[in-house]
Amino acid sequence: MLPESITAIVARNERWTGEAATEPFEAGWAREAVVFVRALKEPAGAAPMAWIEISPDGMHWVPEGTRLKMPTAKDEIAVARLTCFGNWLRVATRFDAGAECTVLVTIHLKA
Amino acid sequence: MRTELAEALRTALLEADPRLSRFDPLPRIISHDDFSRGHCGWSQLVGNYEGDLDTMLPGYAQHSSPMLSTLAHWDAGSHGGYGSSYALKVATRPRPGAQNVAIKRLTFRKRGPIRFEMYFTFKPEATELTLGETDVRSVGFLFDLQGGDRDGDAERVMPHIRFLNASDGDHVQKWQYKRQSTKFKPIGNSDKTLSHYHLAPDGWQDLPGGQQRLCYNEIATKVNWSYLRFDFDLAAMKALSLQCNDRVFDVSDFDSIRMPAMKNLWCMLNFCLFAETDVAKRAFLYVDSVCISGDF
């Protein structure tokens, strides 16, 4: 049987300001993940760094170590490649006051 | 015509197969999804849009992808599924009234009886050391159906059933159905796309005798799988039977959301699973397995 592979849309057309993160996603079956963050609209203000977080339970989060620069223009894409992430995954970031980005966040998982 | 011998053989094969023995499928198995082989064609219900995602109705905008879960809990580890480590998980956002919907999209080849069976359970996210039995508002399922393009009686028909677990903190625990949707809203300017949020909270009606106390267990991280079966006739577009665990419910009053046939949906055979939270806590619908069968 071919190994499972799936594209999950975890944030679609969400306007991110201040503290922002995707909803918890379980991916324990996957050996690798690629995360894309695309700006659907022209971002405003300084583009912050975003980071991947992992979790033992989907409720308590810790940085995994991978960081990605949030898109600085409409349709720009930030990417992170991951292995060894356990079960839970999310993307988090923090915007300065007045800064924002409307995002499409997709996770591409492969067993 | 199937002979008695053929039917006896079919039944014997089903009963001897550990993966299917806990189902009672009609003669043709349309799909059997146990989620140990992947997502099995269950994806998120995305709303209609045109030109700009901002045109999507808010009810749909909140939806996200279902996931394969081992029901991993902070205190007891992975609960696992009924027959494998995995189940499909439909998770809401942590906002009162938030909903999420997973969908499998097919078409049918004959308008006749179909049977939808699943093993399911539901829980809130275990963010508090409390039972949380009134945190999940509802879980349920719906079909989205339309007759063939040559059928004189073609309508779009959407049977909806939910288990209303709780409402504003009241532990209601009853089965409901729905006949009304919200009004259609044009999406974009091309006159090609409409949208209606059929899972809006109003319009649910009680199924007669539909009170049922399910096995919820005693802390938020213990779950038990429940059996559900819904029989529907695609010819008459009528519900035939609803069973959950040991209870069979009277569906003689049941009707579906009905509307004129739409121009791009002929022979549509869609199945949806949904969850809804009553509080600012994520609600999780877990589905161990689904068996959809038909008599054709």
Side-chain angles (χ1 to χ4, degrees):
Chain A
M1 193 189 302
L2 288 173
E4 174 72 348
S5 174
I6 202 88
T7 293
I9 309 301
V10 293
R12 181 190 49 245
N13 204 32
E14 290 185 12
R15 180 173 166 259
W16 279 8
T17 60
E19 303 264 350
T22 54
E23 285 292 291
F25 198 83
E26 290 197 55
W29 56 270
R31 293 182 184 277
E32 60 176 71
V34 179
V35 179
F36 294 105
V37 180
R38 173 154 74 100
L40 293 177
K41 297 178 180 173
E42 199 63 39
M49 294 301 293
W51 55 91
I52 302 297
E53 291 188 335
I54 56 178
S55 169
D57 53 17
M59 299 180 289
H60 302 87
W61 296 91
V62 60
E64 177 266 351
T66 303
R67 289 160 60 84
L68 56 163
K69 173 92 170 172
M70 286 292 290
T72 57
K74 181 175 184 287
D75 285 333
E76 194 177 296
I77 295 175
V79 62
R81 295 177 179 84
L82 308 167
T83 53
C84 299
F85 43 80
N87 184 37
W88 300 91
L89 268 179
R90 74 173 187 180
V91 184
T93 187
R94 187 182 304 113
F95 291 84
D96 292 340
E100 66 172 70
C101 186
T102 298
V103 296
L104 179 70
V105 184
T106 65
I107 302 182
H108 306 257
L109 298 154
K110 203 173 285 183
Chain B
M1 287 291 288
R2 291 181 188 87
T3 64
E4 279 182 29
L5 177 61
E7 181 56 23
L9 275 171
R10 186 187 79 86
T11 306
L13 286 168
L14 287 172
E15 290 179 350
D17 182 345
R19 296 169 305 161
L20 285 168
S21 189
R22 58 175 173 265
F23 292 105
D24 291 315
L26 296 176
R28 296 272 195 139
I29 294 173
I30 297 171
S31 65
H32 173 227
D33 306 330
D34 68 3
F35 305 112
S36 65
R37 296 170 291 113
H39 292 72
C40 301
W42 289 88
S43 63
Q44 69 163 297
L45 175 59
V46 67
N48 295 338
Y49 54 87
E50 186 178 279
D52 189 324
L53 285 174
D54 289 346
T55 60
M56 189 184 295
L57 298 181
Y60 294 107
Q62 67 183 321
H63 295 172
S64 59
S65 293
M67 56 196 108
L68 295 180
S69 172
T70 61
L71 290 76
H73 295 126
W74 70 272
D75 57 348
S78 288
H79 181 282
Y82 195 128
S84 80
S85 290
Y86 292 102
L88 190 75
K89 175 180 180 179
V90 180
T92 72
R93 292 161 196 264
R95 186 177 62 238
Q99 298 173 322
N100 200 3
V101 185
I103 184 167
K104 186 182 183 89
R105 293 191 178 97
L106 307 175
T107 52
F108 61 78
R109 57 193 253 196
K110 185 183 174 190
R111 284 181 63 174
I114 58 168
R115 173 167 289 178
F116 179 88
E117 296 174 277
M118 69 173 172
Y119 284 87
F120 74 101
T121 191
F122 59 87
K123 282 285 174 176
E125 189 170 43
T127 52
E128 297 176 290
L129 305 186
T130 56
L131 185 58
E133 79 278 21
T134 58
D135 293 341
V136 176
R137 180 177 295 170
S138 76
V139 295
F141 63 95
L142 66 102
F143 300 170
D144 195 357
L145 312 166
Q146 183 163 306
D149 64 346
R150 299 294 174 95
D151 295 346
D153 63 344
E155 284 182 298
R156 185 174 176 190
V157 180
M158 303 179 74
H160 281 55
I161 290 185
R162 75 172 179 179
F163 182 71
L164 179 63
N165 177 64
S167 178
D168 298 327
D170 184 17
H171 204 187
V172 181
Q173 302 180 94
K174 63 185 177 185
W175 292 97
Q176 295 186 310
Y177 66 104
K178 197 174 205 200
R179 289 178 169 151
Q180 304 162 3
S181 182
T182 52
K183 280 189 180 164
F184 274 93
K185 187 179 170 201
I187 298 292
N189 303 312
S190 70
D191 197 27
K192 288 183 179 175
T193 303
L194 300 169
S195 194
H196 68 134
Y197 196 64
H198 45 90
L199 283 172
D202 46 325
W204 289 97
Q205 296 175 253
D206 294 348
L207 204 63
Q211 288 278 345
Q212 186 175 24
R213 288 171 293 175
L214 297 175
C215 183
Y216 181 83
N217 218 311
E218 294 175 307
I219 55 174
T221 56
K222 292 180 180 176
V223 307
N224 294 76
W225 298 103
S226 290
Y227 172 74
L228 182 135
R229 173 175 61 82
F230 183 58
D231 289 351
F232 195 85
D233 183 5
L234 296 176
M237 289 292 186
K238 288 193 69 158
L240 301 174
S241 179
L242 174 69
Q243 176 178 346
C244 183
N245 284 344
D246 59 336
R247 300 275 307 280
V248 178
F249 299 97
D250 176 10
V251 293
S252 52
D253 278 357
F254 180 94
D255 203 358
S256 306
I257 298 172
R258 292 174 182 273
M259 62 206 79
M262 300 182 74
K263 55 190 173 188
N264 301 319
L265 304 179
W266 307 108
C267 293
M268 184 163 68
L269 182 64
N270 288 354
F271 303 91
C272 294
L273 301 163
F274 61 86
E276 180 178 26
T277 183
D278 204 45
V279 295
K281 196 187 279 191
R282 295 179 179 89
F284 301 145
L285 167 65
Y286 298 102
V287 178
D288 168 80
S289 44
V290 181
C291 186
I292 302 169
S293 55
D295 191 358
F296 61 94

